[in-house]
Amino acid sequence: RTEARYHEARLPGVGPRQCNRPVPQCGMPETSDHASVARTEATTLDQSAESHLDSLYRAAAGPVNTGYYLPILSRFETNGRVSPSWNWAACVCTLNWMLFRGMWLAALVYLGAVGAVVAVLATAIALTAPPMVASLRWSLWAALATLVLLIPGFFGNAWLYRVYRQRLDQALASTDRLQDACLLLARLSSTRQRLTAIVSINLAMCVLLAIGVWPSGKPMQMGPRTSGAIENLAQPASAAVAAAPV
């Protein structure tokens, strides 16, 4: 089991057999009381191993929404495999969620996959002869948008688990202390400062987009048109005065 491997690797100076083997006191033969004590000690060690793993995943997830991710990550670790689970943040704000959780490679793969599918669908629609009806085109785009939202929503936690699992392995391979491993994972974890920066960037992009879309040229064009209209109205009047007899 992965928990046992982490526990054995993180107890320097104590081998796995020493952790599970009861030590008789004063050379006396082991009795039923000693066996019950040994079973109690083994159970305590197993609980400690699980708490160590939870501490590692807590450090990897960071302080934001840890209560949601920790049970899911622990379930994946216990089962030894991932399974679909719903994540609203991964569904609605996929790219921002990946950047916030430090899934840099996954974000690039996601952007590349979405861009490739959009390009293929746009090319297919453009080259179709005879041209597709508008309802069919909109249906295809709606289906693509639905998949783009649903796939990260159902499988985002599985992607996140694989990223965190890789970080755990790297942290445990680089240090012999649980506390040091947690510190290494915390440096890569999601922080509130990163969340604030992502929200600020999104707001700035929305403001720039609004400024670019806003029809700012229309008020500037209304002035010359109004003055030109006044001049056109004034020209017939001046011509009539000039043509009048003196």
Side-chain angles (χ1 to χ4, degrees):
R1 288 168 58 90
T2 306
E3 295 88 341
R5 179 172 62 85
Y6 286 154
H7 182 57
E8 294 169 3
R10 295 306 100 202
L11 291 177
V14 181
R17 295 182 179 179
Q18 295 175 352
C19 293
N20 297 325
R21 179 182 298 174
V23 180
Q25 297 180 357
C26 301
M28 297 178 62
E30 186 175 351
T31 61
S32 60
D33 295 336
H34 293 131
S36 61
V37 172
R39 287 195 297 268
T40 304
E41 292 178 354
T43 304
T44 304
L45 288 174
D46 291 340
Q47 292 176 353
S48 176
E50 292 177 359
S51 65
H52 289 171
L53 192 59
D54 291 341
S55 299
L56 291 169
Y57 275 120
R58 187 182 299 275
V64 181
N65 214 5
T66 310
Y68 167 78
Y69 288 103
L70 193 58
I72 296 176
L73 297 173
S74 299
R75 185 176 75 248
F76 290 167
E77 192 69 42
T78 302
N79 296 335
R81 59 183 179 85
V82 297
S83 58
S85 59
W86 185 252
N87 189 325
W88 278 108
C91 171
V92 179
C93 307
T94 305
L95 186 59
N96 289 324
W97 174 75
M98 288 182 174
L99 295 178
F100 175 65
R101 290 295 167 184
M103 305 168 62
W104 316 116
L105 181 59
L108 292 176
V109 173
Y110 174 79
L111 282 178
V114 172
V117 174
V118 169
V120 170
L121 182 57
T123 304
I125 293 175
L127 297 179
T128 301
M132 290 185 183
V133 295
S135 59
L136 181 57
R137 291 199 305 268
W138 284 110
S139 299
L140 291 176
W141 288 118
L144 177 60
T146 303
L147 291 177
V148 168
L149 294 176
L150 290 182
I151 291 177
F154 278 110
F155 298 99
N157 290 330
W159 301 342
L160 182 64
Y161 167 74
R162 297 186 185 279
V163 173
Y164 284 171
R165 178 65 180 275
Q166 184 179 4
R167 293 180 184 176
L168 258 68
D169 293 338
Q170 293 175 354
L172 293 173
S174 60
T175 182
D176 292 333
R177 297 181 56 191
L178 177 66
Q179 184 178 3
D180 294 340
C182 291
L183 290 176
L184 292 175
L185 293 171
R187 294 175 184 174
L188 301 175
S189 65
S190 306
T191 60
R192 300 187 185 278
Q193 290 79 5
R194 186 187 298 176
L195 178 61
T196 303
I198 292 176
V199 172
S200 302
I201 293 174
N202 280 269
L203 291 177
M205 293 177 62
C206 291
V207 171
L208 293 176
L209 181 62
I211 293 175
V213 174
W214 187 265
S216 58
K218 290 185 178 180
M220 297 179 61
Q221 295 177 359
M222 291 176 64
R225 290 179 181 177
T226 304
S227 60
I230 294 176
E231 293 176 356
N232 293 333
L233 291 175
Q235 287 178 359
S238 60
V241 173
V246 179

